[in-house]
Amino acid sequence: MERLQKLLARAGVASRRASEELIHQGRVTVDGQVVTQPGARADPAQSVICVDGQPIRLPTGHHYLLLHKPAGYITTRQDQFGRPTVMDLVPAELRSRIYPVGRLDADTTGLLLLSDDGELANRLIHPRYHVPKTYLATVEGVPNEAELQVLRSGVELEDGTTAPAQAVLVNASRTKATIRLTLSEGRNRQVKRMCEAVGHPVVKLVRIAMASLELDDLPEGQFRHLNPLEINELERVAFAED
Ligand code: URA
């Protein structure tokens, strides 16, 4: 048996203090019964604990690392040619357990999740679940509105027309532009192939977000562990029914 507010905090619902407030507000149930008294305890192995009707999920002991992948590192656990891989950038004691969730090209930088949670990884990368991934693509030339519209509505590629995407021109000079692209697919080299197809080859590509995760100001080559709130939110997004 453990105090409810402690369980909620461990599940990443809210801080312990804020969890006490949720309990006080009558938003927490144990086996269907609203529990409001402070100090109430529950056994998560025996009871279903819900907040606003949603069952809480306690951490499973999995690892979740968010890496800012630099250019020149291959997204694989081991490279047959001995080139540097993203595994070189994570702690040695985790190397045998975690693996990259999806992949970025060797010259692409940005957000890469590494985990040993296979179920979540599958949800995040399988096209069926439409988990959004956002990229900043620096391209040659400046795409006009019609070209951006093609990126949004669907580009014909050799493996089929791409699904609807978001494409926003974020800045432009005379010779180059940066587009923020949000895709819900994840085919091989998709951003590069889409931009190339509308006449604007990519010269630099950074992934800045995936599902609820953002790269923010994590320095290149560095990683951080996700906190319970982030894991919870990631699961919420990944397991949302579409
Ligand atoms: N699209 C690409 O073209 N390359 C990547 O690395 C990721 C998405």
Side-chain angles (χ1 to χ4, degrees):
M1 298 282 261
E2 209 176 325
R3 275 177 193 258
L4 267 183
Q5 65 265 36
K6 210 169 148 194
L7 285 172
L8 299 192
R10 267 213 299 129
V13 172
S15 69
R16 234 189 255 195
R17 188 70 201 80
S19 297
E20 278 173 21
E21 190 53 31
L22 293 174
I23 297 166
H24 178 68
Q25 290 167 354
R27 293 166 63 183
V28 179
T29 57
V30 176
D31 292 329
Q33 300 291 319
V34 175
V35 175
T36 52
Q37 69 269 34
R41 290 168 186 268
D43 178 356
Q46 302 288 332
S47 300
V48 179
I49 302 161
C50 294
V51 177
D52 295 334
Q54 292 296 314
I56 64 166
R57 294 164 68 107
L58 287 165
T60 51
H62 287 307
H63 297 88
Y64 306 87
L65 263 67
L66 192 159
L67 172 72
H68 187 160
K69 178 193 170 299
Y73 287 78
I74 315 289
T75 309
T76 181
R77 290 193 78 178
Q78 200 164 15
D79 183 59
Q80 55 176 326
F81 304 111
R83 294 171 294 184
T85 80
V86 292
M87 303 312 289
D88 298 339
L89 301 167
V90 303
E93 66 274 16
L94 288 180
R95 262 176 225 154
S96 61
R97 308 183 51 157
I98 60 172
Y99 48 86
V101 178
R103 57 181 292 285
L104 294 175
D105 297 336
D107 57 354
T108 300
T109 65
L111 188 157
L112 183 70
L113 182 68
L114 296 106
S115 180
D116 52 3
D117 182 344
E119 206 188 335
L120 183 71
N122 183 46
R123 283 279 178 158
L124 293 172
I125 45 189
H126 198 292
R128 177 180 348 144
Y129 302 113
H130 306 295
V131 171
K133 290 151 193 123
T134 301
Y135 300 86
L136 283 181
T138 306
V139 297
E140 282 177 21
V142 180
N144 60 30
E145 190 47 38
E147 289 161 341
L148 290 171
Q149 197 48 46
V150 174
L151 292 174
R152 290 179 195 125
S153 53
V155 182
E156 276 183 40
L157 299 177
E158 60 193 20
D159 50 355
T161 307
T162 58
Q166 291 171 30
V168 180
L169 189 67
V170 288
N171 62 50
S173 69
R174 213 166 40 80
T175 55
K176 281 197 299 199
T178 304
I179 314 169
R180 189 173 60 236
L181 262 173
T182 302
L183 308 185
S184 60
E185 296 181 285
R187 307 188 208 170
N188 203 16
R189 300 185 68 252
Q190 185 166 349
V191 172
K192 290 177 187 161
R193 290 191 292 139
M194 287 172 74
C195 293
E196 173 103 49
V198 297
H200 297 280
V202 170
V203 291
K204 183 169 182 278
L205 188 59
V206 188
R207 181 156 68 188
I208 56 167
M210 177 169 81
S212 51
L213 302 175
E214 291 186 6
L215 187 60
D216 288 331
D217 48 11
L218 183 67
E220 218 173 279
Q222 304 281 306
F223 70 86
R224 65 179 182 81
H225 292 270
L226 299 189
N227 65 42
L229 282 171
E230 289 176 306
I231 298 167
N232 208 33
E233 180 61 10
L234 190 59
E235 289 190 335
R236 203 184 58 72
V237 174
F239 289 94
E241 295 307 324
D242 38 334

